[in-house]
Amino acid sequence: ASIKHIIILQGVTTIGDHAFDECDNVLSISIPASVTSIGFSAFSDYSASVWVDKNNRYYSSDEYGVLFNKAKTTLIRAPQNLDFYTIPDTVTDIESMAFFFCRAKAIVIPNSVKNIGTSAFAFSSVRSIVIPNSVTKIESEVFYRCQSLHSVALSVGTTSIHAWAFDSCSALTDIYYTGDNSQQKAIEGNSIIRSTATWHYNCCEVHTYGDNGCSACDYICPHYYKNDCDNLCHLCNRVRQVTDHVYDNACDAICNICSHQRTIPAHVFSN
């Protein structure tokens, strides 16, 4: 379909199960104040940004187009086009398929989160993930086929990992764990995490970063920068040296990489 934007009219109260299935080209969906119910998997696998009328009593959205319940305690659905996202610390529950096919390379989960639904991050582009101590169980296929996922940080608070939680995560090489070897072996279902992945034990809950990672344990920050001009890691605040902005010519005011706008002198004409 060629439809890019959907505006649901005021008066509609229910969005049914799978309502927008296969609407893969839609970029945004506007939900009015009258909607009181959104069904299971209502949005396409390649989800659009969702904008909820501020007067809606049951649902809300943030500036990135992420859909929540009204109190922002449940994260329902994130759009595909995110690049980096920090989940608000009001959130306690991440619903099933919330970040399905999301392109975000880095997602920060706060300690407020207690439950992560099945397939919540399946098929996403996340490169590393830190599971907070508050999450005791990792459900089925939470990270299914996250083929860019290189590292996972786990806490002793996690006592159960479903047999398929990390199924088909072919790039997973490092697991950073705050417990020891005996505690790791006691995790229900832990044998399903790739046997070739290296477990790093007794890692810190809160890291003290040096130039090459945590100075107190084996943890290495995967570093996330928005673009080649960004000098600050958004995960550990490491400052890196970056090259100069790239402009087409001396009169070009907009960087071709990061869209930084500079002040340029007056144009020079030959006559």
Side-chain angles (χ1 to χ4, degrees), residues 149-202:
L149 183 63
H150 290 278
S151 69
V152 175
L154 293 173
S155 168
V156 291
T158 300
T159 56
S160 176
I161 301 174
H162 191 278
W164 298 332
F166 293 91
D167 191 33
S168 300
C169 293
S170 57
L172 182 59
T173 57
D174 293 280
I175 301 166
Y176 299 97
Y177 183 53
T178 60
D180 57 27
N181 180 266
S182 62
Q183 289 170 303
Q184 178 254 316
K185 289 181 178 179
I187 299 175
E188 180 183 352
N190 76 30
S191 61
I192 54 80
I193 296 180
R194 290 184 68 219
S195 58
T196 55
T198 300
W199 281 79
H200 304 268
Y201 299 110
N202 301 310

Side-chain angles (χ1 to χ4, degrees), residues 2 28 34 37 44 63 82 85 99 106 119-120 123 125 131 153 170 196 203 209 214 217 242:
S2 59
S28 69
S34 57
S37 175
S44 164
E63 66 268 32
L82 291 176
Y85 188 67
F99 290 90
S119 303
F123 295 98
S125 300
I131 307 296
S170 57
T196 55
C203 292
Y209 289 103
C214 181
C217 71
V242 296

Side-chain angles (χ1 to χ4, degrees), residues 90-116:
T90 56
V91 173
T92 59
D93 296 89
I94 300 173
E95 282 204 351
S96 298
M97 302 174 68
F99 290 90
F100 208 62
F101 278 105
C102 183
R103 293 174 181 167
K105 300 177 182 67
I107 298 170
V108 178
I109 305 174
N111 288 325
S112 58
V113 171
K114 294 180 173 58
N115 302 299
I116 302 176

Side-chain angles (χ1 to χ4, degrees), residues 46-61:
Y46 301 93
S47 186
S49 299
V50 177
W51 308 108
V52 181
D53 188 296
K54 65 180 181 180
N55 294 315
N56 189 294
R57 296 172 56 194
Y58 299 90
Y59 298 98
S60 61
S61 58

